[in-house]
Amino acid sequence: MTGTTKTGDIFICSFPFTSGGFSKSRPVLVLFDFGADCLICRVTSAPYAGLLDIAIRQWRRAGLLKPSVTRLSRVVTAEKSLLTRRIGKLSEGDLRTVKLAWNRHMRL
């Protein structure tokens, strides 16, 4: 993917493990577009319930196969070339919830 991404887009991406050694294709949420790169966070169907884990209520509409959670604690800046396929977009309500959590808990 080399074009413009928008906050709330869901893509399939080779998301790197925190060790940096390997990656796994998984859904990711675009948080910010930086031109050639974008800030993304992991989306998973594994149940998590931390302050930065946001349930996607309208997961089917977002193009996901299972109920899922955005993990704002698992962010990475990635080259857009790693985004292999757009599968959907968060609903306005889900995107609003993600933005509220980001603004509440990710301040420097």
Side-chain angles (χ1 to χ4, degrees):
M1 195 292 157
T2 57
T4 302
T5 60
K6 294 181 181 175
T7 301
D9 285 346
I10 305 279
F11 281 87
I12 299 297
C13 175
S14 294
F15 197 95
F17 291 113
T18 53
S19 66
F22 299 97
S23 64
K24 178 180 178 181
S25 290
R26 63 171 64 246
V28 296
L29 171 65
V30 174
L31 298 171
F32 299 102
D33 186 317
F34 298 129
D37 301 326
C38 57
L39 186 69
I40 58 175
C41 72
R42 182 182 298 181
V43 174
T44 181
S45 60
Y48 288 94
L51 291 174
L52 297 172
D53 300 319
I54 311 303
I56 300 173
R57 304 239 180 260
Q58 295 185 26
W59 53 272
R60 284 188 185 100
R61 181 174 176 203
L64 300 163
L65 301 176
K66 300 177 184 179
S68 298
V69 173
T70 60
R71 305 224 50 220
L72 294 177
S73 61
R74 298 291 188 203
V75 295
V76 67
T77 301
E79 292 180 12
K80 288 183 184 172
S81 62
L82 296 175
L83 303 178
T84 57
R85 180 170 51 98
R86 184 179 182 274
I87 62 170
K89 182 172 180 65
L90 288 185
S91 69
E92 288 298 319
D94 284 331
L95 183 56
R96 188 172 29 258
T97 302
V98 167
K99 286 180 177 181
L100 285 170
W102 178 273
N103 292 334
R104 183 175 296 132
H105 301 295
M106 298 294 278
R107 295 184 181 192
L108 292 175

